[in-house]
Amino acid sequence: MNPPRQPELLAPAGTLRNQRYAFAYGADAVYAGLPRYSLRVRNNDFNAETLALGIAEAHAQGKRFYLATNLMPHGAKLRTVIQDLAPIIALHPDALIVADPGLLLLIREQWPEQTLHLSVQANTLNAAAVRFWALQGVQRVILSRELSLNEIAEIRAACPETELEVFIHGALCIAYSGRCLLSGYFNHRDANQGSCTNSCRWQYRLGSELEQNRHPAAETQYVLEEGKRSGEFMPVFEDEHGTYILNSRDLQAVAHIAQFVALGIDCLKIEGRTKSHYYVARTTQVYRAALDDAIAGRPYRPELLTALEGLANRGYTEGFYRRHAPQELQNYADGASRNQRQIFVGEVSSVAANHWAEITVKNQFAVGDELELITPNGNWLFQLTAMTTVDGEALSIAPGAGWQVRIPLPTAAVVNAFSLLTRTLTTAG
């Protein structure tokens, strides 16, 4: 029997800075895209110049760089795509991530040797669909988020030659495979063109048509009213499965990494190209540890989930991977129930020989706080006992972003340019 595949850990790179943090904390590959042809227009600083630098840096480290070209293009974009992609293809990205069949066809005609991955936007749910896309020249299929572990296992068994990729962490969309109309409905900014406004995460008030005195003789119809759009009502339709208008919790599958390894999944993907470098560092570090444990045959460590609580989240869910979580694992499915959380408070700018470090402050922290130093070499929890300004004056509080302060770090800590600092919060606030 052949040993199971060792999955690639794939991290998001909305910026060149995020890419560097992803690789520093253990990612095997990153994905990024030009705003015009990917599903991330916001918080995406990649252009031809930065893509060239990103691809070159990835290859210099023996890592891989995937170019997302996964929007659903209207005709106007198809007319320019080959011309715009030509200089990027010349940089040799390791694969293009594509969703639209027409765009896939054009790329195959122009660059038949270019490796192609099929985006989750294509909504691949079964083995027959995987085989179909493989016949079109796709090397890797990113499976739909709506699949269970058992369904993924069936696809793996039926399609042993095609690479399979699954999402393991990040925001979930309320629509099938991210094909959502809410942003277009409210703001005329189409999610499938890369300009989603995350309308599912806005604040809404639930009311009824009767309360609005709109149809007093009619059956009650519930509506949503967004906080900043008073008087604009969106009907809520419900069937036997529930309603489909409010946002999901965030996906986390850290407890299932060993199962993905055993199944022979080729790539484990973290969502989050619009997130911060702290998010990329923390998620990459946690899932790198979980993946290394699984490959080595070590048991799952629940403290890895606790580490993910240091990130802002809307409560965690395993998504569709398990229909019903067993009783003893309820906290894994409901991360919001945990009280211990953290906030990102600073970056380590430099460290002196006496282990005092200069910190670029991002959020407030104070003497007496419990801090965690996060580095690619490991993490250290410690209580802050002293702090000064860069001029050596004693300081009790670092008020917030824009400050530079100095603090003592644990003497055992191995610090580099990618080291970050968090503060433990005593409550979930």
Side-chain angles (χ1 to χ4, degrees):
M1 178 181 295
N2 293 327
R5 294 173 168 89
Q6 293 195 6
E8 170 185 81
L9 182 60
L10 178 57
T15 68
L16 189 60
R17 182 190 202 187
N18 287 15
Q19 172 182 321
R20 290 165 177 164
Y21 274 86
F23 287 147
Y25 280 84
D28 300 305
V30 297
Y31 61 103
L34 286 170
R36 179 170 170 81
Y37 299 108
S38 78
L39 292 184
R40 293 295 181 270
V41 171
R42 299 180 300 112
N43 302 333
N44 184 348
D45 70 353
F46 276 103
N47 53 32
E49 181 180 349
T50 48
L51 278 176
L53 189 54
I55 293 171
E57 288 187 9
H59 291 169
Q61 297 179 61
K63 309 281 189 176
R64 291 172 290 281
F65 189 107
Y66 302 138
L67 183 71
T69 51
N70 59 336
L71 87 166
M72 300 302 215
H74 291 232
K77 287 187 177 179
L78 279 185
R79 287 193 288 272
T80 60
V81 65
I82 297 301
Q83 175 183 329
D84 291 347
L85 285 180
I88 309 301
I89 298 294
L91 300 171
H92 304 294
D94 294 277
L96 300 189
I97 304 171
V98 182
D100 179 67
L103 182 54
L104 186 151
L105 174 66
L106 293 179
I107 293 171
R108 290 282 293 158
E109 290 175 343
Q110 186 70 23
W111 300 288
E113 302 304 316
Q114 175 62 53
T115 300
L116 295 176
H117 294 175
L118 187 71
S119 171
V120 71
Q121 284 280 108
N123 195 198
T124 305
L125 291 159
N126 58 70
V130 172
R131 294 200 306 269
F132 169 83
W133 288 113
L135 290 173
Q136 314 313 310
V138 169
Q139 176 178 302
R140 176 186 296 180
V141 173
I142 305 169
L143 294 176
S144 172
R145 289 184 176 99
E146 290 77 26
L147 290 171
S148 69
L149 287 167
N150 289 339
E151 290 171 317
I152 292 170
E154 291 174 0
I155 293 173
R156 174 77 286 167
C159 305
E161 303 303 321
T162 303
E163 293 183 16
L164 299 179
E165 178 176 312
V166 298
F167 279 89
I168 55 171
H169 194 92
L172 289 173
C173 186
I174 64 161
Y176 232 61
S177 295
R179 295 182 295 184
C180 180
L181 298 177
L182 282 183
S183 182
Y185 181 94
F186 281 121
N187 279 342
H188 307 290
R189 290 175 57 179
D190 190 349
N192 299 305
Q193 300 300 306
S195 52
C196 180
T197 55
N198 298 113
S199 305
C200 63
R201 297 193 169 215
W202 295 350
Q203 182 179 20
Y204 293 93
R205 186 181 73 86
L206 180 65
S208 71
E209 293 282 5
L210 291 184
E211 290 172 359
Q212 308 301 330
N213 296 317
R214 294 165 63 87
H215 302 291
E219 181 180 351
T220 299
Q221 170 65 62
Y222 288 99
V223 295
L224 289 176
E225 181 182 32
E226 200 275 319
K228 297 181 180 179
R229 290 169 173 78
S230 178
E232 297 182 21
F233 305 109
M234 187 177 195
V236 177
F237 299 101
E238 181 172 295
D239 63 15
E240 66 273 16
H241 301 295
T243 57
Y244 306 95
I245 217 70
L246 300 176
N247 71 85
S248 168
R249 294 185 180 189
D250 292 338
L251 174 67
Q252 65 80 13
V254 68
H256 297 310
I257 299 305
Q259 290 170 276
F260 288 127
V261 172
L263 287 176
I265 299 304
D266 297 275
C267 181
L268 307 178
K269 185 174 194 172
I270 299 168
E271 183 276 338
R273 278 192 285 151
T274 63
K275 300 292 184 65
S276 70
H277 60 295
Y278 166 60
Y279 169 92
V280 172
R282 183 64 117 173
T283 54
T284 302
Q285 183 187 57
V286 168
Y287 283 97
R288 180 78 265 165
L291 182 53
D292 289 346
D293 284 347
I295 291 171
R298 295 187 290 268
Y300 167 68
R301 291 178 285 153
E303 59 265 29
L304 293 176
L305 177 56
T306 303
L308 292 174
E309 284 299 316
L311 298 167
N313 65 81
R314 294 178 175 268
Y316 285 130
T317 175
E318 295 177 357
F320 292 87
Y321 289 140
R322 286 190 298 183
R323 299 301 183 187
H324 302 286
Q327 182 72 21
E328 67 271 17
L329 296 184
Q330 280 189 350
N331 275 339
Y332 297 170
D334 188 9
S337 69
R338 295 177 178 268
N339 290 327
Q340 184 179 6
R341 294 170 62 91
Q342 293 175 310
I343 184 172
F344 172 47
V345 296
E347 300 170 355
V348 179
S349 302
S350 62
V351 182
N354 63 356
H355 289 278
W356 276 69
E358 185 168 320
I359 306 297
T360 300
V361 179
K362 298 298 182 181
N363 283 293
Q364 179 178 302
F365 63 95
V367 172
D369 285 343
E370 182 182 72
L371 303 181
E372 183 174 18
L373 176 66
I374 302 171
T375 84
N377 303 297
N379 302 342
W380 288 266
L381 276 172
F382 65 101
Q383 187 172 36
L384 185 60
T385 57
M387 178 165 43
T388 72
T389 66
V390 291
D391 296 323
E393 298 179 8
L395 194 65
S396 61
I397 297 177
W403 281 70
Q404 295 285 132
V405 301
R406 288 179 177 161
I407 66 171
L409 296 181
T411 55
V414 181
V415 183
N416 66 12
F418 297 97
S419 301
L420 304 170
L421 201 66
T422 67
R423 173 171 64 89
T424 300
L425 303 178
T426 55
T427 69

